[in-house]
Amino acid sequence: MTAPPDDCLARNEWICGEYLNTRRQILLDAVGQHLQLTAVSVLIGLALAVPLAVLARRWGWAAGPVLGVTTVLYTIPSLAMFSLLLPVYGLSAALVVAGLVLYSLTLLVRNILAGLRAVPEDTRQAARGMGYGPIRLLLTVELPLAVPAAMAGLRIATVSAVSLVTVGAIVGFGGLGNLIYAGMNTYFKAQVLTASVLCVVIAVAADLLLLGVQRLITPWTRAARG
């Protein structure tokens, strides 16, 4: 029995609207897992990167080891990274999150540290002259002025995490990567293309969202450009 001429699934076409209609829930579940893994890993990475960057800024001798270790972590291939973490986390979503956190540290720590170092010393001295202590100086002067550089690192780390989540398909927690992996094994063209396009859409949307947040919380940069 031959497939009807309008059955794009049976013809295994790359672009197939019927695939979207019949696999809508599967796609939504995959997108949800992809977003969750990305958001959790980037937020944890940011929570670790800020104190590491502050430590490296406060004690100059710590900058070399911190940047060196995070850079070495970034050079480890993703499959090797997941394999090294497997004895600790097993086949779980935590394995993927841990790997993505370690990868994000290089981009986040380096950019946050660059932002802190770019704060003019005159500004620090003026704040100290007004009675600002170290904590208040950090929270109200240094970190806000470091936001543009930090956000640049956060945008890159987020887009990178969106891409790397797909590798989690090897342990069953790859979001849209699960669909790409399964589709490539069965040569299911519509599934491979749809999941891949959705990954690109998520990456672009996340980058634009963070760019909007950056402009919202750093109005002084817009004034300077104007």
Side-chain angles (χ1 to χ4, degrees):
M1 191 177 223
T2 58
D6 60 343
D7 192 348
C8 56
L9 282 176
R11 293 196 303 271
N12 194 27
E13 295 181 352
W14 286 104
I15 301 176
C16 181
E18 189 63 23
Y19 174 79
L20 297 175
N21 293 330
T22 57
R23 271 73 170 185
R24 182 175 302 164
Q25 191 57 49
I26 294 175
L27 288 169
L28 289 175
D29 291 343
V31 168
Q33 185 183 78
H34 208 105
L35 292 173
Q36 183 179 20
L37 291 170
T38 300
V40 171
S41 61
V42 171
L43 289 175
I44 295 175
L46 185 61
L48 294 175
V50 171
L52 285 175
V54 171
L55 175 68
R57 176 67 184 86
R58 285 284 183 262
W59 294 282
W61 60 266
V66 168
L67 293 176
V69 171
T70 55
T71 300
V72 168
L73 290 173
Y74 197 77
T75 63
I76 301 176
S78 54
L79 291 178
M81 176 70 81
F82 289 156
S83 298
L84 292 172
L85 296 173
L86 185 60
V88 179
Y89 296 99
L91 298 175
S92 65
L95 170 66
V96 179
V97 170
L100 295 180
V101 168
L102 293 178
Y103 280 127
S104 69
L105 287 178
T106 301
L107 300 168
L108 293 172
V109 171
R110 190 173 295 275
N111 280 272
I112 295 172
L113 179 58
L116 291 173
R117 285 174 169 172
V119 176
E121 187 58 33
D122 291 346
T123 303
R124 291 193 178 93
Q125 293 297 338
R128 293 190 185 101
M130 295 171 63
Y132 282 42
I135 301 300
R136 188 182 179 191
L137 175 64
L138 173 67
L139 296 179
T140 62
V141 177
E142 293 180 315
L143 285 179
L145 291 178
V147 164
M151 288 298 295
L154 182 60
R155 289 170 59 193
I156 298 173
T158 301
V159 172
S160 178
V162 171
S163 174
L164 289 172
V165 164
T166 58
V167 183
I170 62 173
V171 295
F173 295 92
L176 291 165
N178 293 338
L179 300 183
I180 296 173
Y181 183 72
M184 292 181 67
N185 284 338
T186 58
Y187 200 56
F188 193 173
K189 296 178 181 178
Q191 180 162 297
V192 172
L193 180 61
T194 302
S196 300
V197 169
L198 286 174
C199 283
V200 175
V201 170
I202 291 174
V204 172
D207 187 57
L208 292 177
L209 176 62
L210 291 174
L211 178 60
V213 171
Q214 176 181 342
R215 291 182 175 179
L216 182 65
I217 63 178
T218 57
W220 64 87
T221 59
R222 298 198 304 272
R225 286 194 296 268

